[in-house]
Amino acid sequence: MAFTAISKFEVRNNMEDEVREAFRNRPHLVDDAEGFKGLNVLNPRENPAEFWLITHWETEQDFHHWHRHHRSEAHKGIPKGLKLVKRSFELRFFDHITS
């Protein structure tokens, strides 16, 4: 069974366009991580300041290894000055049943 991690955050200082552009031009560092299967970034129409990142992994252990050892490298493209709504960050884990 595959593993999916979904994180959500909300931008507080009107930098939504910069965040979208940063994801479009991301450095793709996670793409070579062991067990990484894919990334989707979603932005709900009813709240354009909110972003959802859906990452798919072969195993939960693969995700946790990347998160512990390489996450900061992948976050180097975060726009300077970005502020998040307090307590808006959420990270949840899912078993991937089917696509």
Side-chain angles (χ1 to χ4, degrees), residues 30 33 57 62-71 74-75:
V30 69
W57 301 84
D62 291 333
F63 167 78
H64 287 298
H65 181 268
W66 172 82
H67 198 261
R68 272 193 308 277
H69 300 287
H70 302 286
R71 180 177 57 122
H75 289 171

Side-chain angles (χ1 to χ4, degrees), residues 6-10 44 50-53 84 87-92:
I6 300 178
S7 58
K8 170 187 76 87
F9 64 88
E10 188 172 351
E50 192 174 271
F51 291 84
W52 292 72
L53 283 67
L84 301 183
R87 290 187 284 283
S88 71
F89 179 78
E90 183 178 341
L91 176 61
R92 296 185 62 194

Side-chain angles (χ1 to χ4, degrees), residues 1-2 5-6 11 17 22-24 29 31 35 41 67 69-70 73-74 79 83-84 86 93 95:
M1 186 178 313
I6 300 178
V11 174
D17 289 339
F23 279 117
R24 286 184 190 109
L29 298 175
D31 294 10
V41 180
H67 198 261
H69 300 287
H70 302 286
E73 298 166 13
K83 304 265 190 244
L84 301 183
K86 196 173 199 172
F93 304 134
D95 291 324

Side-chain angles (χ1 to χ4, degrees), residues 1-5 26 28-41 53-64 66 94-99:
M1 186 178 313
F3 174 77
T4 298
R26 69 184 184 85
H28 293 270
L29 298 175
V30 69
D31 294 10
D32 294 326
E34 185 163 341
F36 179 75
K37 296 174 78 174
L39 165 70
N40 298 102
V41 180
L53 283 67
I54 304 168
T55 57
H56 302 285
W57 301 84
E58 290 180 17
T59 69
E60 183 173 356
Q61 292 75 22
D62 291 333
F63 167 78
H64 287 298
W66 172 82
F94 297 81
D95 291 324
H96 190 118
I97 308 302
T98 186
S99 293

